[in-house]
């Protein structure tokens, strides 16, 4: 497996919450990451999702060597992160949406120059790279501004530039679009998609933003209560959790619930009724049958959005189904 | 640190960056510098006064006592100059801001130590140097080459011992978040203790700072050699030359503790 950038096997992190030095018995253990195993290959773009407190940030801190794992094995760029943290730092870029890694009092340009020297990037390579990043992230207007005075969106773009100046193999981002407006989000997404496609930079990102997921992540991993609950394509996720299609039927007048070849209306509101289609159902045939038997004024077919899928998964309304290798379920289409 | 030259370069680079950042606020820089100059001037005046008034302390005459004071403050000042801001480590640990330092390819020790580095820190060395300059020519001792060489050696060894203690104090803060007061007692308390002839203190305390926290090796033991005095504790003569070895030991212990501390760093939940 020469092209694995991240290899995690039974990766576990347990935090003990001490009740104070003298109250040893009050200790409790929280397993933030529980035997998580996955592999990320070169060039992949992976979304690492999960509800609040699921263990995403904790995983990222282990990947970057900030936290030592409690057990399990972890290799990032061929290195053990907690033992070879400094060596690893030269090969990866890290961005925390919540917290800057730039120097608060330095103008952005000086921060970036300092990054160059810390990472020992050659001056010529740095110039080209900086020009490129400045253009892509539109940094020019605030290069001379101290980081402390930057707006959140500007700072985020500065952080991204700083994380990529040394041309890392792997970019790890913890909620990079948190708090950004739609335009800044679009800039950041566009940028991430580009460096992944053009430079082949492997990217792992956590986010609660559905736009990020739909726009960027071909593969998603969902962690819940510290356990890896799903790992696969975004499309398969929709299918495996039975991301249903719903027909919204508008009748001429209020009527008793529709019943049609085993499909029943699950909700009615005046003349409007909602029919949930089984995965195997042929929507066209159902619509034709409906039109033949009822006075239908209008029909709309709605796919369940990724938002609904995640919400019901996080709430525990539905079980995560792991996509079988090779995607057996595609025959159901 | 595997590569001392590289570490020193990074230290210089970061310190220089902070100095330039401070230069963005010229007014506050000027005021702080003026403040330091005033405090330093008062220190030097107080010392000059001591030379005229101070009685013998615990069997040591004024020049000898001030030699001890000068070597201790100089060693402490050098360690403070280089590593003093590591006492903020606890703050970074508590707030989780250490995370950002840990993803950079430079030791977080260097990053914390250089934080808000200011050339004013050098000002703290002025009183120490003044005292030594005044005390050395007044010492009533035979200046053999060994004794002459011992003076810079003991200052350097003392600086390493204090430096090791700073790092050790930092390492403790990884685990005990509220230990800033306790660790301050160790570093600043140690700085205070070594300013006086050890024969002033109770024997148990002197034993403690000889064998537990080896502060007696900062300047007391080598000074006994420079001043040609008997040891009140009756330690063998070799103890007077042990400071470099003790310094190496303290630094080794500090390095191990630092690594262990980093391993126990748990970041914050958000
Ligand atoms: N430093 C810490 N000490 C103790 N417990 C922690 C620490 N960091 C995280 N935890 C706990 O570990 C669990 C996972 O936290 P983590 O920050 O990884 O969640 P997350 O998936 O990033 O959540 P969010 O989406 O809210 O950022 C939580 O129960 C949290 O309380
Ligand atoms: Mg998080």
């Amino acid at each position: 497996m020469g092209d694995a950038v991240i290899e995690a096997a039974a990766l576990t992190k347990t935090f003990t919450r001490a009740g104070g030095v003298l109250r040893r018995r009050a200790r409790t253990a929280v397993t933030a990451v529980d035997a998580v195993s996955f592999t990320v290959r070169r060039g992949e773009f992976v979304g690492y999702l999960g509800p609040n407190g699921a263990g995403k940030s904790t995983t990222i801190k282990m990947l970057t060597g900030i936290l030592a794992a409690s057990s399990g094995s972890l290799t990032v760029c061929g290195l053990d992160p907690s033992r070879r943290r400094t060596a690893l730092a030269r090969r990866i870029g890290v961005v925390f949406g919540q917290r800057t890694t730039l120097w608060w009092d330095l103008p952005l340009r000086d921060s970036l120059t300092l990054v160059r020297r810390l990472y020992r990037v050659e001056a010529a390579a740095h110039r080209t790279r900086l020009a490129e990043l400045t253009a892509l992230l539109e940094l020019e207007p605030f290069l001379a501004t101290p980081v402390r005075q930057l707006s959140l969106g500007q700072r985020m773009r500065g952080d991204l530039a700083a994380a990529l100046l040394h041309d890392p193999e792997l970019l790890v981002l913890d909620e990079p679009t948190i708090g950004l407006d739609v335009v800044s989000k679009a800039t950041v997404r566009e940028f991430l998609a580009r460096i992944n496609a053009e430079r082949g930079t492997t990217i792992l990102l956590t986010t609660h933003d559905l736009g990020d997921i739909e726009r960027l992540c071909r593969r998603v991993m969902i962690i819940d209560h510290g356990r890896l609950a799903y790992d696969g394509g975004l499309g398969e996720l929709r299918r495996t959790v039975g991301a249903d299609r719903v027909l919204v039927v508008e009748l001429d007048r209020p009527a008793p619930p529709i019943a049609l070849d085993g499909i029943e209306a699950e909700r009615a509101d005046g003349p409007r009724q909602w029919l949930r289609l089984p995965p195997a159902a042929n929507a066209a045939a159902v619509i034709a049958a409906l039109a033949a038997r009822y006075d239908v004024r209008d029909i709309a077919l709605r796919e369940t959005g990724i938002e609904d899928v995640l919400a019901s998964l996080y709430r525990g309304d539905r079980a995560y189904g792991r996509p079988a290798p090779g995607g057996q379920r595609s025959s159901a289409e | 640190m595997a590569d001392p030259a590289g570490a020193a370069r990074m230290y210089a680079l970061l310190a220089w960056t902070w100095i330039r950042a401070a230069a963005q606020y010229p007014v506050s820089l000027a005021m702080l510098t003026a403040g330091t100059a005033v405090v330093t001037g008062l220190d030097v005046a107080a010392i000059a006064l001591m030379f005229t008034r101070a009685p013998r302390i615990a069997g040591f005459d004024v020049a000898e006592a001030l030699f001890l004071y000068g070597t201790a403050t100089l060693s402490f000042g050098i360690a403070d100059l280089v590593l003093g801001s590591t006492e903020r480590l606890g703050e970074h640990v508590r707030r989780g801001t250490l995370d950002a330092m840990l993803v950079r390819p430079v030791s977080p020790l260097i990053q914390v130590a250089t934080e808000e580095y200011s050339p004013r820190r050098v000002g703290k060395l002025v009183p120490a140097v003044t005292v030594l300059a005044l005390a050395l020519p007044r010492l009533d001792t035979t200046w053999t080459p060994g004794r002459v060489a011992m003076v810079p050696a003991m200052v350097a060894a003392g600086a390493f011992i204090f430096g090791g203690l700073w790092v050790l104090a930092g390492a403790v803060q990884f685990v005990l978040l509220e230990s800033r007061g306790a660790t301050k007692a160790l570093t600043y308390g140690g700085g205070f203790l070594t300013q006086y002839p050890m024969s002033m203190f109770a024997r148990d305390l002197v034993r403690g700072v000889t064998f537990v926290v080896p502060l007696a090796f900062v300047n007391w033991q080598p000074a006994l050699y420079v001043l040609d005095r008997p040891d009140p504790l009756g330690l063998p003569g070799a103890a007077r030359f042990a400071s470099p070895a003790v310094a190496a030991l303290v630094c080794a212990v500090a390095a191990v503790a630092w690594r262990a501390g980093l391993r126990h760093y748990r970041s914050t939940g958000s």
Side-chain angles (χ1 to χ4, degrees), chain A residues 15 17 30 32 50-58 175 208, chain B residues 266-269:
Chain A
F15 291 108
R17 292 205 180 120
V30 177
N52 288 134
K56 302 181 296 295
S57 299
T58 306
E175 302 195 36
H208 292 295
Chain B
R266 36 191 290 156
S267 185
T268 49

Side-chain angles (χ1 to χ4, degrees), chain A residues 84-104:
Chain A
R84 306 286 317 279
R85 197 192 65 246
T86 319
L88 182 63
R90 294 189 184 286
R91 299 179 52 184
I92 63 173
V94 186
V95 174
F96 300 111
Q98 319 251 25
R99 185 171 285 150
T100 184
T101 58
L102 298 171
W103 288 264
W104 210 235

Side-chain angles (χ1 to χ4, degrees), chain A residues 311-331:
Chain A
S312 59
L313 285 173
Y314 290 178
R315 271 199 308 266
D317 297 354
R318 298 187 215 193
Y320 297 90
R322 265 173 199 277
Q328 286 167 6
R329 299 199 54 125
S330 53
S331 59

Side-chain angles (χ1 to χ4, degrees), chain A residues 49 106 162 164 214 223 245 259 308:
Chain A
L49 316 179
L106 295 186
L164 285 160
E214 301 207 296
I223 185 172
R245 292 158 300 165
D308 305 303

Side-chain angles (χ1 to χ4, degrees), chain A residues 103-107 145-151 155, chain B residues 21 24-25:
Chain A
W103 288 264
W104 210 235
D105 291 312
L106 295 186
T145 314
V147 171
R148 153 177 52 77
Q149 293 171 15
L150 296 181
S151 81
R155 200 217 78 202
Chain B
Q24 292 192 343
Y25 311 96

